[in-house]
């Protein structure tokens, strides 16, 4: 059965809106695990707009499943990751003006940079995932720079405006997922997935993990985190 990684950044966003200490993403992570999450995902952004270093360190101590730290490929972040030792680092692109992660990393354009940071993280025994667009060329580049896992960006699929473009995006995801599997890369998917569109992916049994934030936290506001996580888990086969 595929695994579910629950991203709790949105809980931190709500906390930061008032600059206080509630709601706490660390408590949310514990509840998500009780609800059946197989892992917790957080993005420590360079501008610290939601998750703080305090959250990362507490989560490292408290998470009982797996902690996946998303971060930009910078020296500052690599140092923090090596100090905290999450179970997985996912390298994502980052722009200060974006609302959320937009697009995958350009592995082809920055091969040497990725090779270097992956080698550094591997030196501390931290496996590395690269968040990439559903592109065969980016996938092959990720394999070449020694990534352990790729996370295929499902945003364009989730936001497709017509059944035709949805089909095109789905085909691109399927091709990448299957090639990643053949190349013995771990393969996960994430971005924009919800309780409806996820059912179009679950026939792809090569997908090991779904990383989902917004739709689960949005549902949790209304029905509670335990139920929101459990209902998403029930959709995974
Ligand atoms: N995967 C990655 C790499 C992300 O950056 C995000 C957003 O933080 C997600 C998954 C989760 O996306 P969503 O919040 O749309 O479910």
């Amino acid at each position: 059965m595929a695994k579910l990684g629950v991203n709790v950044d949105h809980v931190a966003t709500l906390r930061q809106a008032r600059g206080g200490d509630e709601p706490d993403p660390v408590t949310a992570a514990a509840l998500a695990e009780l609800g059946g999450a197989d892992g917790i995902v957080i993005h420590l952004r360079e501008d610290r707009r939601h998750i703080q270093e305090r959250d990362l360190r507490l989560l490292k101590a408290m998470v009982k499943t797996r902690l996946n730290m998303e971060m930009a490929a910078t020296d500052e972040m690599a140092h923090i990751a090596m100090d905290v030792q999450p179970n997985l680092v996912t390298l994502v692109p980052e722009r200060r003006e974006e609302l959320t992660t937009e697009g995958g990393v350009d592995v082809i354009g920055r091969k040497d940079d990725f090779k270097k940071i992956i080698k550094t993280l591997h030196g501390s025994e931290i496996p590395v995932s690269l968040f990439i667009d559903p592109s065969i060329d980016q996938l092959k580049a990720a394999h070449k720079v020694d990534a352990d896992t790729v996370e295929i960006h499902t945003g364009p699929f989730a936001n497709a405006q017509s059944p035709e473009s949805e089909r095109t995006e789905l085909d691109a995801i399927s091709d990448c997922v299957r090639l990643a599997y053949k190349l013995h890369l771990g393969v996960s998917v994430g971005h924009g997935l919800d309780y409806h569109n996820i059912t179009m992916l679950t026939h792809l049994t090569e997908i090991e993990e779904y990383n989902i934030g917004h739709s689960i936290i949005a549902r949790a506001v209304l029905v509670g985190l335990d139920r929101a996580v459990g209902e998403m888990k029930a959709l995974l086969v």
Side-chain angles (χ1 to χ4, degrees):
M1 205 222 251
K3 293 189 162 62
L4 175 63
V6 176
N7 181 314
V8 294
D9 292 352
H10 300 287
V11 179
T13 299
L14 190 54
R15 175 189 60 192
Q16 299 308 110
R18 285 287 169 100
D21 54 16
E22 283 182 330
D24 194 329
V26 180
T27 310
L31 291 171
E33 285 188 320
L34 288 177
D38 302 291
I40 299 300
V41 188
I42 48 165
H43 183 176
L44 184 68
R45 296 185 70 103
E46 288 181 284
D47 62 10
R48 306 294 194 272
R49 72 169 72 153
H50 40 52
I51 292 293
Q52 308 296 309
E53 277 183 61
R54 165 259 184 214
D55 306 325
L56 172 68
R57 289 176 195 282
L58 282 175
L59 284 166
K60 166 62 187 173
M62 287 184 58
V63 162
K64 295 193 168 42
T65 53
R66 290 170 73 244
L67 181 63
N68 176 356
M69 175 188 177
E70 292 179 8
M71 59 180 227
T74 65
D75 288 344
E76 183 210 1
M77 287 297 156
H79 282 125
I80 295 172
M82 288 189 290
D83 188 31
V84 175
Q85 294 279 315
N87 301 96
L88 180 71
V89 157
T90 300
L91 297 175
V92 298
E94 214 173 276
R95 285 193 301 121
R96 277 172 195 257
E97 63 274 22
E98 70 192 0
L99 282 180
T100 179
T101 312
E102 292 168 3
V105 286
D106 180 13
V107 195
I108 298 168
R110 289 183 58 202
K111 249 188 202 150
D112 291 343
D113 292 345
F114 282 106
K115 207 171 189 157
K116 186 167 160 243
I117 193 166
I118 290 172
K119 195 168 178 215
T120 303
L121 293 165
H122 280 171
S124 287
E125 291 176 16
I126 302 172
V128 181
S129 175
L130 295 183
F131 182 59
I132 57 167
D133 289 328
S135 141
I136 293 291
D137 290 339
Q138 293 289 355
L139 174 65
K140 286 181 178 164
H143 184 241
K144 278 218 176 86
V145 298
D146 237 356
D148 302 281
T149 296
V150 285
E151 178 175 336
I152 311 289
H153 187 5
T154 49
F157 156 72
N159 296 325
Q161 297 298 313
S162 69
E164 292 74 30
S165 59
E166 186 179 65
R167 189 73 245 166
T168 305
E169 295 298 339
L170 190 56
D171 288 346
I173 293 168
S174 308
D175 291 347
C176 280
V177 162
R178 294 194 170 119
L179 181 60
Y181 182 79
K182 273 198 199 136
L183 293 172
H184 302 291
L185 285 164
V187 57
S188 52
V189 291
H191 220 285
L193 296 177
D194 62 28
Y195 295 81
H196 305 286
N197 61 25
I198 196 169
T199 59
M200 294 177 72
L201 293 176
T202 46
H203 67 283
L204 296 169
T205 51
E206 295 90 347
I207 297 174
E208 290 169 19
E209 185 157 2
Y210 293 78
N211 291 323
I212 307 180
H214 186 84
S215 64
I216 292 179
I217 302 304
R219 184 171 289 210
V221 171
L222 304 178
V223 305
L225 196 49
D226 188 61
R227 185 167 149 192
V229 172
E231 287 177 357
M232 188 61 86
K233 273 284 282 188
L235 296 171
L236 301 183
V237 283

